[in-house]
Amino acid sequence: MMEKTLTGWQKQPRKLNIQGEIERAIELITGEQVDLTASGRTDAGVHAIGQVANFKTNSNLPTEKFAIAINSKLKKSIRIQRAEEVEERFHSRYNCKQKTYRYIINNGEQGSAIYRNLEYYVPIKLNIEEMKKAIKYFEGEHDFKGFKASGTSSKSSVRKIYKTNIIEEGERIVIELTGNGFLYNMVRIIAGTLVEVGLGKIKQEEIASIIESKDRTRAGKTLPPHALYLVKVEYE
Amino acid sequence: MMEKTLTGWQKQPRKLNIQGEIERAIELITGEQVDLTASGRTDAGVHAIGQVANFKTNSNLPTEKFAIAINSKLKKSIRIQRAEEVEERFHSRYNCKQKTYRYIINNGEQGSAIYRNLEYYVPIKLNIEEMKKAIKYFEGEHDFKGFKASGTSSKSSVRKIYKTNIIEEGERIVIELTGNGFLYNMVRIIAGTLVEVGLGKIKQEEIASIIESKDRTRAGKTLPPHALYLVKVEYE
């Protein structure tokens, strides 16, 4: 029995059960019914381009052929980037050390027709310097209770953010967060809060107290998922 | 009466009458029925991100407000980038000096789920050095009869290509052509021919004789329009 990991499944904002689709494709290739375990769930509509998942197989197909073989059985909206063999005790979720998400804002004068489903358009010029100051308050260990979807499970909402960044690429503003885990909607709410800072509706120096308040109503709105990317999942 | 130009209409590969949609939006803004004249037609499905079009108006809306006003009446798949006032004798098609097209190939190992409708995926590794030599043969004035869709009008098929380029951007290969005009399907057939050079099916040194032969069957196939971009239209 060998243990495989798959890296990178990508999807368009559309109702597809990615896990089920990949399990079905693996069955077509190997004849085996496998349980695919991903590093975690992403919000519906998010592009999980750096997702990692593992499964067990007895197939004697060489590991380096798995990605192309599985892709041949998948819709084009889901692509496996590569497969690797791992130790049998490897677990995509439990062994995950950190994840990196990106939220892509288009802050150009008119927005883009072509990328309209891949980025979030803000027509008003954002103050990026204030956003850069604001994002630093999210670094470190915090209780992000005020930055998760209401009604989600009551387990600990403490998460540690290791690294934050705001990257300007022409008319695009990319918000990047690396942490040990993210709550449901958390990146989208942080991005929404940073946009309000960029618009001057929230002052950057208020962020610390907004986080501390654990009050969802003080944070910004939940931005739509189509501009959010899970770009990297890292292991020990 | 003032003469306006609009720059940049973009579309998704979908059946939309872009000209009609924009004329309708202008009518909603100005109350006037205008004739919009573009620099030329693009093949259906092509992204005309650098398209230029002109129309006459008596509206007293300031020129710099036109793009945002028209966009407010358009579907998000069409965006005007900017409007400028021009001399009344300006004509988007007759005064056009040169156009630049890009054809985007994804030559990565598995292709991209997210950009699948915006680029052309070639799973086999292309020989870029050979493609770079091949594209140079297209520069200069040639009769491109062998590089146009069959059955199209019988006017002169002589065109002048001023500049060519092949740009490598990670797993992407971008073919760029600047010329005084392009025949129907011409860029897509040139791109198809270059892909065959990259695959070793056509030798780069054969290109001169393929062009000279004016024989459509000797050139490569017509690649799909969804990876083609009209990026720039330039005037005197």
Side-chain angles (χ1 to χ4, degrees):
Chain A
M1 170 115 31
M2 289 195 305
E3 183 73 18
K4 310 276 184 193
T5 54
L6 302 176
T7 302
W9 66 54
Q10 307 187 341
K11 69 188 201 60
Q12 291 288 79
R14 203 176 278 170
K15 288 230 185 304
L16 264 184
N17 176 347
I18 308 285
Q19 183 186 344
E21 293 282 334
I22 299 174
E23 288 177 348
R24 189 192 56 84
I26 293 171
E27 188 176 351
L28 289 171
I29 296 300
T30 65
E32 301 166 334
Q33 286 193 333
V34 302
D35 284 314
L36 196 64
T37 306
S39 72
R41 300 171 71 113
T42 52
D43 297 12
V46 173
H47 309 288
I49 60 179
Q51 181 64 288
V52 172
N54 64 287
F55 65 99
K56 288 185 171 34
T57 179
N58 287 309
S59 165
N60 49 23
L61 184 73
T63 306
E64 68 274 15
K65 303 280 187 199
F66 259 87
I68 200 162
I70 299 171
N71 283 336
S72 74
K73 305 296 181 190
L74 288 171
K75 312 171 197 256
K76 291 210 169 121
S77 57
I78 311 175
R79 289 290 98 177
I80 307 299
Q81 294 300 320
R82 86 182 162 269
E84 281 173 42
E85 203 170 321
V86 287
E87 291 175 51
E88 199 161 338
R89 61 193 170 80
F90 177 85
H91 193 288
S92 294
R93 189 163 75 252
Y94 300 151
N95 299 149
C96 172
K97 209 183 76 195
Q98 60 184 40
K99 290 182 185 178
T100 300
Y101 276 94
R102 279 193 197 134
Y103 200 89
I104 303 183
I105 294 166
N106 181 315
N107 197 211
E109 295 212 353
Q110 307 298 343
S112 166
I114 289 174
Y115 301 111
R116 70 188 185 281
N117 296 322
L118 297 171
E119 58 191 25
Y120 177 68
Y121 175 52
V122 179
I124 298 161
K125 196 85 202 132
L126 296 170
N127 185 330
I128 298 175
E129 293 316 308
E130 290 300 294
M131 292 169 72
K132 283 181 177 175
K133 289 175 199 157
I135 200 172
K136 293 297 158 200
Y137 291 100
F138 291 100
E139 293 185 1
E141 190 167 83
H142 302 282
D143 185 340
F144 286 100
K145 205 177 163 201
F147 289 83
K148 65 171 186 139
S150 58
T152 51
S153 90
S154 57
K155 276 188 243 161
S156 168
S157 48
V158 175
R159 294 291 183 277
K160 194 165 184 175
I161 294 189
Y162 301 120
K163 207 179 145 193
T164 64
N165 208 355
I166 291 189
I167 307 147
E168 295 176 63
E169 290 177 352
E171 59 184 22
R172 285 178 186 80
I173 300 169
V174 180
I175 295 169
E176 194 173 80
L177 296 165
T178 300
N180 64 357
F182 293 89
L183 304 165
Y184 189 59
N185 285 5
M186 177 170 153
V187 181
R188 293 159 60 190
I189 299 169
I190 292 177
T193 305
L194 292 172
V195 166
E196 296 201 10
V197 170
L199 293 170
K201 292 185 189 169
I202 293 177
K203 301 264 166 261
Q204 54 90 4
E205 57 271 22
E206 292 172 53
I207 299 291
S209 88
I210 293 173
I211 296 171
E212 221 176 313
S213 75
K214 297 170 202 158
D215 179 356
R216 174 69 192 89
T217 67
R218 291 193 57 199
K221 64 179 178 176
T222 308
L223 298 190
H226 72 265
L228 181 60
Y229 298 76
L230 170 60
V231 294
K232 211 191 275 184
V233 179
E234 290 169 281
Y235 294 88
E236 309 282 328
Chain B
M1 167 112 33
M2 288 197 302
E3 183 73 19
K4 308 275 184 193
T5 54
L6 303 175
T7 302
W9 65 55
Q10 309 187 340
K11 67 188 202 58
Q12 291 287 78
R14 204 175 281 171
K15 288 229 186 305
L16 264 185
N17 176 347
I18 309 285
Q19 182 186 345
E21 294 283 335
I22 299 173
E23 288 176 348
R24 188 192 56 85
I26 293 171
E27 187 175 351
L28 289 170
I29 297 300
T30 65
E32 301 166 333
Q33 287 193 333
V34 302
D35 283 313
L36 195 64
T37 306
S39 73
R41 300 171 71 114
T42 52
D43 298 11
V46 173
H47 309 287
I49 60 179
Q51 182 63 286
V52 173
N54 64 287
F55 66 98
K56 288 185 170 36
T57 179
N58 287 309
S59 164
N60 50 22
L61 184 72
T63 305
E64 67 275 14
K65 304 279 187 200
F66 260 88
I68 203 162
I70 298 172
N71 283 336
S72 74
K73 303 297 181 190
L74 287 171
K75 314 172 195 253
K76 291 210 169 121
S77 56
I78 311 174
R79 288 290 98 177
I80 306 299
Q81 295 300 320
R82 85 181 164 270
E84 281 172 42
E85 203 171 320
V86 287
E87 293 174 50
E88 200 161 337
R89 61 193 170 80
F90 176 85
H91 192 288
S92 294
R93 189 163 75 251
Y94 301 151
N95 299 150
C96 172
K97 207 183 78 196
Q98 59 183 41
K99 291 182 184 178
T100 299
Y101 277 93
R102 277 193 198 134
Y103 199 89
I104 303 184
I105 295 166
N106 181 314
N107 197 211
E109 295 212 353
Q110 307 299 343
S112 165
I114 290 173
Y115 300 111
R116 69 188 185 284
N117 296 322
L118 297 171
E119 57 191 24
Y120 176 68
Y121 174 52
V122 178
I124 299 161
K125 196 86 202 131
L126 296 170
N127 185 331
I128 298 174
E129 292 316 308
E130 290 300 294
M131 292 169 72
K132 284 181 176 174
K133 288 174 199 157
I135 200 173
K136 292 298 158 201
Y137 291 99
F138 291 99
E139 293 186 358
E141 190 168 83
H142 302 282
D143 185 340
F144 286 101
K145 205 177 163 201
F147 289 84
K148 65 172 185 139
S150 58
T152 50
S153 90
S154 57
K155 276 189 240 158
S156 167
S157 47
V158 174
R159 294 292 184 277
K160 195 165 184 175
I161 294 189
Y162 300 120
K163 208 179 146 194
T164 65
N165 209 355
I166 290 189
I167 306 147
E168 295 176 62
E169 289 177 351
E171 60 184 23
R172 286 180 185 80
I173 299 168
V174 180
I175 294 168
E176 194 173 80
L177 297 164
T178 300
N180 64 357
F182 293 88
L183 304 165
Y184 188 59
N185 284 5
M186 179 170 151
V187 181
R188 293 159 61 190
I189 299 170
I190 292 177
T193 305
L194 292 172
V195 166
E196 297 202 8
V197 170
L199 293 170
K201 292 185 188 168
I202 292 176
K203 301 264 166 261
Q204 54 90 5
E205 58 272 22
E206 292 172 53
I207 299 291
S209 89
I210 293 173
I211 297 171
E212 222 177 311
S213 75
K214 296 169 203 158
D215 178 357
R216 174 69 192 89
T217 67
R218 290 194 57 199
K221 62 179 180 178
T222 308
L223 297 189
H226 72 264
L228 181 60
Y229 299 75
L230 170 61
V231 294
K232 211 190 276 182
V233 178
E234 290 169 280
Y235 294 89
E236 308 282 328

